């Protein structure tokens, strides 16, 4: 088993499959009255969040607690970080407290890589800048596999603000490792030019959502991340929705079995309409539930559990 999960590229197909299979076992636990396993009793998991988060943070906390670990939640707001303490000094503090795993979300791409050099425990990337978010990719892959029965050969469109999306990057890496065919869709200004060279040669690009939809098994809508935009990448929100937003009329172009995903948080009315987000094809709430199982599997396996 690997020691850290910093990037979806850390996972080869057998390791990723082992995590997904373990997540399925963890999910079975969620149906029980007592949702707890003793496996990580006496181990300490630190959640180190330098950036806002709702789902990911709660999900990692629930995952660690369901495995009986001691959980320490650290948020940059209200800590000595606001007094200017560096990531390295914070890491040394955690090291002194004997953290077995550190889950980190940070606005700087690469922060988890630096952290791994300063602590003895396992480092799990919970989102670093515009770089990666590997556990999101795992919970997405888990959701696709449980809804559609397989990943190999699955046709997945990832739509919208690919340029700023760590979710897209990790998904491309993991999905291609597991044999899915990914098509990135969005305005040319929001799709990195070097996408296939940088990520995977089999990844396709399209600027025309309507023409792509009839061939897809999965359509994953991304949030338009205006907080990461210094320039204007499209004429107006209305224009963006008209070309790249998923509404009911567009959703009907998908094959009958296809599912609609979104990592959250959503801009309802921008990249996805409320009718689509709340429709029976949407797996958005399921993704959140699956996130706990996927993160339980990751913590369990990284901290030395057996499948
Ligand atoms: C994403 C994130 O923070 O990277 N959300 C999440 O973790 N579920 C996507 C986003 O912010 O749009």
């Amino acid at each position: 088993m690997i020691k850290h999960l910093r990037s979806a590229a850390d996972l080869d197909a057998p390791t990723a499959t082992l995590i997904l299979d373990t997540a399925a076992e963890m999910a079975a636990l969620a149906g029980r009255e007592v949702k707890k396993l003793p496996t990580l009793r006496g181990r300490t998991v630190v959640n180190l969040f330098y950036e806002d988060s709702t789902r990911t943070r709660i999900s990692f906390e629930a995952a660690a607690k369901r495995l009986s670990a001691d959980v320490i939640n650290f948020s940059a707001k209200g800590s000595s970080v606001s007094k200017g303490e560096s990531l390295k000094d914070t890491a040394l503090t955690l090291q002194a407290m004997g953290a077995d795993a550190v889950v980190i979300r940070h606005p700087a791409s690469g922060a988890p890589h630096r952290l791994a050099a300063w602590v003895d425990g396992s480092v799990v990337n919970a989102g670093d800048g515009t770089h990666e978010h590997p556990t999101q990719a795992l919970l997405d892959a888990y959701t696709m596999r449980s809804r559609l029965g397989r990943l190999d050969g699955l046709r997945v469109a990832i739509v919208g603000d690919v340029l700023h999306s760590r979710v897209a990057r990790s998904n491309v890496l993991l999905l291609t490792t597991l044999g899915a065919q990914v098509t990135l869709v969005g305005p040319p200004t929001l799709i990195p030019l070097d996408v296939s060279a940088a990520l995977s040669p089999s990844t396709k690009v399209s600027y025309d959502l309507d023409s792509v939809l009839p061939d897809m098994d999965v359509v994953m809508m991304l949030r338009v991340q205006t907080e990461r935009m210094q320039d204007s990448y499209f004429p107006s929100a209305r224009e963006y929705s008209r070309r790249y937003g998923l509404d009911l009329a567009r959703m009907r172009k998908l094959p009958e079995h296809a599912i609609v995903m979104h990592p959250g948080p959503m801009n309802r009315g921008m990249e996805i309409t409320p009718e689509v987000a709340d429709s029976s094809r949407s797996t958005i709430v399921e993704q959140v539930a699956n996130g706990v199982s996927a993160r339980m599997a990751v913590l369990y396996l990284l901290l030395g559990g057996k499948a």
Side-chain angles (χ1 to χ4, degrees), residues 51 55-56 105 133 136 166-167 223 225 227 263-265:
E51 218 187 58
R55 276 154 283 267
T56 306
R105 169 165 288 198
H133 194 352
Q136 179 70 41
R166 52 197 180 200
V167 175
R223 184 173 66 89
Q225 304 196 21
E227 80 278 17

Side-chain angles (χ1 to χ4, degrees), residues 51-53 55-56 105 126-127 129 132-133 136 139 164-167 222-225 227-228 262-266 295:
E51 218 187 58
D52 296 343
S53 172
R55 276 154 283 267
T56 306
R105 169 165 288 198
E132 281 219 43
H133 194 352
Q136 179 70 41
L139 76 89
H164 300 104
S165 178
R166 52 197 180 200
V167 175
L222 300 172
R223 184 173 66 89
V224 178
Q225 304 196 21
E227 80 278 17
R228 297 196 199 276
H262 193 303
M266 286 180 270
R295 287 164 180 134

Side-chain angles (χ1 to χ4, degrees), residues 10 53 105 129 195 197 233 251 296 300:
D10 292 339
S53 172
R105 169 165 288 198
V195 75
Y233 288 85
M251 189 171 77
M296 284 174 78
Y300 177 69

Side-chain angles (χ1 to χ4, degrees), residues 14-256:
T15 309
T17 305
L18 173 66
I19 296 175
L20 298 182
D21 292 343
T22 308
E25 288 178 40
M26 297 299 178
L29 190 74
R32 292 203 218 147
E33 203 175 325
V34 179
K35 298 180 177 41
K36 236 176 155 123
L37 286 179
T39 18
L40 295 187
R41 194 179 284 155
R43 316 294 291 278
T44 301
V45 176
V46 178
N47 291 320
L48 191 58
F49 277 69
Y50 286 85
E51 218 187 58
D52 296 343
S53 172
T54 306
R55 276 154 283 267
T56 306
R57 188 192 169 111
I58 294 174
S59 182
F60 268 110
E61 183 173 349
K65 284 183 171 162
R66 285 189 192 172
L67 294 170
S68 305
D70 293 323
V71 183
I72 297 172
N73 289 314
F74 170 100
S75 84
K77 272 187 206 119
S79 74
S80 288
V81 170
S82 50
K83 297 180 186 166
E85 187 163 54
S86 68
L87 178 60
K88 182 167 186 180
D89 287 324
T90 305
L92 296 178
T93 304
L94 301 177
Q95 176 64 15
M97 289 190 307
D100 296 292
V102 182
V103 176
I104 178 172
R105 169 165 288 198
H106 200 283
S109 299
H113 286 77
R114 296 307 301 274
L115 185 67
W118 297 322
V119 295
D120 290 334
S122 292
V123 171
V124 181
N125 182 358
D128 61 332
T130 57
H131 180 228
E132 281 219 43
H133 194 352
T135 60
Q136 179 70 41
L138 283 164
L139 76 89
D140 289 336
Y142 179 87
T143 305
M144 290 176 214
R145 198 179 75 163
S146 66
R147 277 283 192 124
L148 301 168
R150 71 196 160 98
L151 289 164
D152 193 34
L154 216 61
R155 296 157 306 170
V156 182
I158 303 182
V159 184
D161 185 1
V162 175
L163 184 67
H164 300 104
S165 178
R166 52 197 180 200
V167 175
R169 199 177 293 267
S170 290
N171 260 294
V172 169
L173 290 167
L174 183 68
L175 287 170
T176 30
T177 299
L178 294 170
Q181 168 67 59
V182 180
T183 305
L184 299 172
V185 187
T189 47
L190 288 176
I191 307 235
L193 275 178
D194 58 345
V195 75
S196 46
L199 292 172
S200 85
S202 66
T203 301
K204 296 182 195 159
V205 171
S206 169
Y207 306 125
D208 180 9
L209 180 56
D210 290 299
S211 70
V212 162
L213 292 175
D215 296 323
M216 291 298 137
D217 302 300
V218 177
V219 54
M220 181 187 295
M221 304 308 295
L222 300 172
R223 184 173 66 89
V224 178
Q225 304 196 21
T226 42
E227 80 278 17
R228 297 196 199 276
M229 293 182 187
Q230 268 94 49
D231 300 303
S232 70
Y233 288 85
F234 45 84
S236 68
R238 196 151 156 248
E239 177 68 11
Y240 181 90
S241 310
R242 208 174 59 74
R243 303 241 4 226
Y244 297 104
L246 193 63
D247 59 11
L248 283 177
R250 278 215 168 96
M251 189 171 77
R252 287 193 199 102
K253 295 186 177 166
L254 286 164
E256 202 73 41

Side-chain angles (χ1 to χ4, degrees), residues 278-300:
D278 302 329
S279 75
S280 59
R281 282 176 169 222
S282 151
T283 60
I284 298 170
V285 178
E286 213 171 298
Q287 283 169 262
V288 176
N290 291 339
V292 179
S293 309
R295 287 164 180 134
M296 284 174 78
V298 166
L299 290 173
Y300 177 69

